[in-house]
Every structure is written in structure tokens, then in C-alpha cells.
Amino acid sequence: MNTPKISVVIPVHNEEMTIGKSINDYYNEFKGKIDFEIIIAEDGSTDNTRHILKRMKREMPLVLFMSSKRKGYQKAIIDVIKHAKYEWIFLVDSDYQFAPPDFWKLYEHTGIYDIILGRKLKRKDPFHRIILSRGFNILARVMFPRLRLYDTDTGFRLFKKSAVEDILPSIGRLMFFTSEFVIRAKYKGYKILEVPVRHFKRFDGKTNVFPLKSIPKIVLHELMGLIRLRMDINKRQKIVKAQ
């Protein structure tokens, strides 16, 4: 039986409180069970994160990409995920809000699906993050009726590498990397599954991706992004029908 190999990709920005535990726990969860690599997409951290990562690289086989400037969550992922060498890519956020053992809940479906998403049970994010996410997902389902998913912006997801290679060049309309990836994948015919997983509060109680003060700008950007994405997909569907 062929056991799929895993490239674990972890985007990181200012996570000095959690990054050591996060990497260690994922490393120990996979060690001896499957073939895997851990790739770190460090995005211009200004705290002690970079020093911690350099130390950890001397202690375990990490593939470390670091940036001297902040590129933003989506670009940090896009720049690094293309370097994954194995047939499945496990993209997981570094803030330790998910349980590493829950990976196997996704992994067991790799024989059937192309994309497996961890749907958060009893989400433990700040209230404004929950409202933002729910509003976005409702709007996405309205604008993209085929979607029928409820947690498209999850930070716990498993992608077939061939799907990533196909879709990655088109990404760029939304700030929510996974949401745009999943929407484009759905309309290209890839098989997608949501699997319930546990979700926990951040250790420091704050997010480094979407701070409260940025909400109005984010909402406007994502609304315009969804409209442009809808136009992209409509255009592609017309081309496919004409062929």
C-alpha cells in the first residue's frame, strides 16, 4: 500500500510564544509514522521568532525560508508552498490553535479527496474574527453556489500537490489564501471535504493576521476580491463552454 508523503508548510509571523511548541509537536506527531518534511515560511517577524527558528533548524531537519520584510500572509505562503517536494501539502497555521493529532482525521481521506479542510468545532477566536469569518463564508456561498462549505478560511488544511500546482498561479484576488484556493478548486472540479477538528484559544489571545483596526479595510478588500473572483470564474466557464 502506498502511504502518501507529506510536506508540512507552516507560515510564521511574530509567534515567539508558540512556534517552538508548534514545530516540536508536529515533528513528534509525524516522526516514525510517515515520510514528511517541515517547511517554515517566516514572514518578517520583529520579535524573537527568527532566533528561535534558527536554533531549531540546528536541532531538527527544517526547511527554513525567512524574509527580512513583511510580505503578508498570502504572499508568504505562495512564495514557499511551491518548494514542497511531496505529493500532499499540509498547510497549518503556527499559532497552535489546532491539535496535531487531528491531522490524521484529514489524512484518512487522501485516497478519495483532493482537498481536505479542518472545519473548526466551537471556534475559539476573538468575537470580531468569528463574525468576519461567518459573514465572509455566507457571502462566498451566495456568490458561488457550488461551494457548499462552511469554513473556507480554516488554518488546518491538506492539499494534493497537483491541485496546488494547478491553482497557485491564479491566486491573488483575496487575502484569505485558503478561501480563494478552495473556490477556484471547486469550480475546476476538484473533490473537497470538510472534517470537524478541535479549535483552541491562542496563548497570547491576539491575532497577528487580521487585527481589529484593519477590519474595515479587510472587508472592503475581500468584497471587491470576491466580485473579481466571480468574474474570473465566469470568464473561465464561458471559455470552457465554447471549446
Side-chain angles (χ1 to χ4, degrees):
M1 180 179 179
N2 180 36
T3 302
K5 300 176 182 179
I6 305 295
S7 291
V8 183
V9 178
I10 306 178
V12 180
H13 175 73
N14 285 354
E15 294 288 357
E16 63 180 7
M17 298 295 293
T18 61
I19 192 58
K21 178 174 175 56
S22 184
I23 293 175
N24 273 313
D25 283 7
Y26 279 108
Y27 181 82
N28 291 327
E29 184 64 39
F30 296 144
K31 186 178 180 181
K33 299 177 182 177
I34 54 174
D35 290 329
F36 71 99
E37 63 175 348
I38 296 181
I39 304 173
I40 306 298
E42 192 284 318
D43 185 25
S45 298
T46 55
D47 61 1
N48 200 40
T49 296
R50 293 163 65 89
H51 299 289
I52 295 172
L53 290 172
K54 290 177 181 178
R55 173 180 56 79
M56 295 189 74
K57 182 173 172 56
R58 294 192 294 267
E59 299 171 353
M60 64 179 66
L62 299 180
V63 181
L64 182 56
F65 292 90
M66 295 203 293
S67 174
S68 58
K69 297 181 180 179
R70 183 80 192 272
K71 294 184 289 187
Y73 183 79
Q74 180 169 164
K75 192 172 190 316
I77 292 174
I78 291 173
D79 286 349
V80 169
I81 201 171
K82 64 185 71 172
H83 295 285
K85 68 180 183 181
Y86 289 138
E87 59 262 44
W88 282 89
I89 298 172
F90 178 46
L91 180 60
V92 58
D93 288 350
S94 58
D95 51 13
Y96 210 82
Q97 289 189 266
F98 297 94
D102 281 354
F103 163 82
W104 305 108
K105 297 179 181 178
L106 279 59
Y107 187 75
E108 66 182 67
H109 298 286
T110 53
I112 300 175
Y113 294 90
D114 305 301
I115 297 166
I116 306 108
L117 307 173
R119 181 179 178 181
K120 296 180 284 290
L121 289 175
K122 297 180 180 180
R123 186 169 182 167
K124 301 299 183 179
D125 281 325
F127 181 72
H128 73 277
R129 284 290 310 277
I130 295 174
I131 295 300
L132 178 64
S133 177
R134 286 181 179 174
F136 176 88
N137 280 289
I138 290 171
L139 183 58
R141 290 196 299 273
V142 170
M143 295 182 66
F144 303 94
R146 291 187 194 175
L147 200 56
R148 298 178 185 176
L149 298 171
Y150 293 86
D151 194 6
T152 62
D153 60 328
T154 179
F156 199 77
R157 53 281 207 209
L158 186 59
F159 304 142
K160 187 176 287 186
K161 185 181 179 182
S162 57
V164 172
E165 291 173 337
D166 180 26
I167 297 169
L168 199 64
S170 302
I171 297 293
R173 294 303 191 188
L174 302 177
M175 295 174 67
F176 294 115
F177 171 85
T178 305
S179 295
E180 181 172 354
F181 183 90
V182 167
I183 291 170
R184 290 187 182 275
K186 186 65 177 180
Y187 279 81
K188 279 196 150 191
Y190 287 99
K191 295 180 180 179
I192 305 172
L193 176 69
E194 283 186 310
V195 176
V197 296
R198 292 168 287 177
H199 194 247
F200 308 101
K201 290 183 179 179
R202 284 180 54 92
F203 287 168
D204 59 6
K206 62 182 180 180
T207 175
N208 291 322
V209 181
F210 299 122
L212 184 60
K213 64 181 180 181
S214 300
I215 294 300
K217 182 179 179 181
I218 292 170
V219 170
L220 179 60
H221 182 281
E222 296 303 89
L223 177 59
M224 296 305 299
L226 284 171
I227 293 172
R228 294 188 182 101
L229 181 54
R230 180 70 262 184
M231 293 171 64
D232 287 351
I233 291 176
N234 286 345
K235 182 178 179 179
R236 182 180 179 277
Q237 289 179 320
K238 289 179 180 179
I239 293 173
V240 171
K241 288 180 180 180
Q243 291 178 342

